[in-house]
């Protein structure tokens, strides 16, 4: 059975797509929605304040399908992804399944590193209960393995080398 579980964990036939991209140029600044971003190994996303600061958190990815869940938990109609302080929102592929795996996203190759837990700033950004609404819905952090340009609409998939 153990071999079967390992096979299931390594099988992800779905592909997703980039729905939204944002970078924060400096601390305290609002997210800037961009039409394209360059990912660089050891740097992260060019134009983002975290570029070059930590290999484990070079890029943050959010599950697009979780936005309505977060909104529902907050009792609002919708949540703007820019409020969630993540760089890229993707749809159609389970980000949790990409933790510890290599994924292609646009022209870049990333490695899913860890869960991206919410911070206390979610209470300010989303209102009372924002932190708890984000728990389990914060996405993942990733490291850039091979650089490239990422745009909305780009395909997101498990790397064939993963």
């Amino acid at each position: 059975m153990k071999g079967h579980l390992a096979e299931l964990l390594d099988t992800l036939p779905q592909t997703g797509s980039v729905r939204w991209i944002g970078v924060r140029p400096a601390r305290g600044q609002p997210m800037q929605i961009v039409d394209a971003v360059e990912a660089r190994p050891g740097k992260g996303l060019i134009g983002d304040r975290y570029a070059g600061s930590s290999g484990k958190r070079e890029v943050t990815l959010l599950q697009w399908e979780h936005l309505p869940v977060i909104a529902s938990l907050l009792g609002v109609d919708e949540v703007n992804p820019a409020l969630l302080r993540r760089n890229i929102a993707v749809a159609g592929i389970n980000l949790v399944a990409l933790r510890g795996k290599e994924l292609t996203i646009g022209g870049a190759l990333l490695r899913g590193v860890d869960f991206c837990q919410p911070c206390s700033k979610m209470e300010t950004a989303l209102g009372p209960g924002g932190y708890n609404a984000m728990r389990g819905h914060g996405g993942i952090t990733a490291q850039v393995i091979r650089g490239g340009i990422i745009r909305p609409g780009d395909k997101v998939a498990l790397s064939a080398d993963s």
Side-chain angles (χ1 to χ4, degrees):
M1 188 67 161
K2 187 175 183 180
H4 181 65
L5 180 58
E7 184 180 319
L8 289 173
L9 291 171
D10 287 339
T11 303
L12 190 61
Q14 294 83 9
T15 59
S17 64
V18 175
R19 297 291 301 268
W20 180 91
I21 302 171
V23 295
R24 183 183 307 274
R27 184 180 182 115
Q29 296 289 314
M31 293 293 280
Q32 292 183 350
I33 300 167
V34 295
D35 293 330
V37 68
E38 181 182 357
R40 284 191 197 160
K43 295 286 185 192
L45 300 180
I46 303 306
D48 191 67
R49 81 180 204 94
Y50 287 109
S53 64
S54 169
K56 293 182 179 180
R57 193 183 172 100
E58 291 177 347
V59 182
T60 54
L61 301 162
L62 178 71
Q63 188 77 50
W64 184 261
E65 290 85 351
H66 288 196
L67 292 172
V69 174
I70 296 164
S72 177
L73 293 170
L74 292 169
V76 298
D77 292 335
E78 63 182 26
V79 172
N80 181 342
L83 296 175
L84 305 182
R85 303 167 54 88
R86 304 300 188 262
N87 298 121
I88 301 172
V90 303
I93 192 166
N94 186 347
L95 287 176
V96 172
L98 295 171
R99 182 175 170 241
K101 307 284 184 199
E102 290 185 356
L103 60 138
T104 58
I105 181 166
L109 178 67
L110 306 179
R111 175 177 288 116
V113 176
D114 207 351
F115 298 117
C116 192
Q117 303 296 346
C119 68
S120 62
K121 293 181 183 190
M122 292 299 97
E123 287 292 302
T124 302
L126 300 172
Y131 174 83
N132 279 313
M134 284 288 296
R135 289 176 67 193
H137 304 289
I140 64 171
T141 62
Q143 178 181 27
V144 181
I145 304 301
R146 183 187 68 236
I149 303 298
I150 301 171
R151 294 179 176 85
D154 280 351
K155 183 172 119 176
V156 180
L158 181 67
S159 171
D161 298 331
S162 214

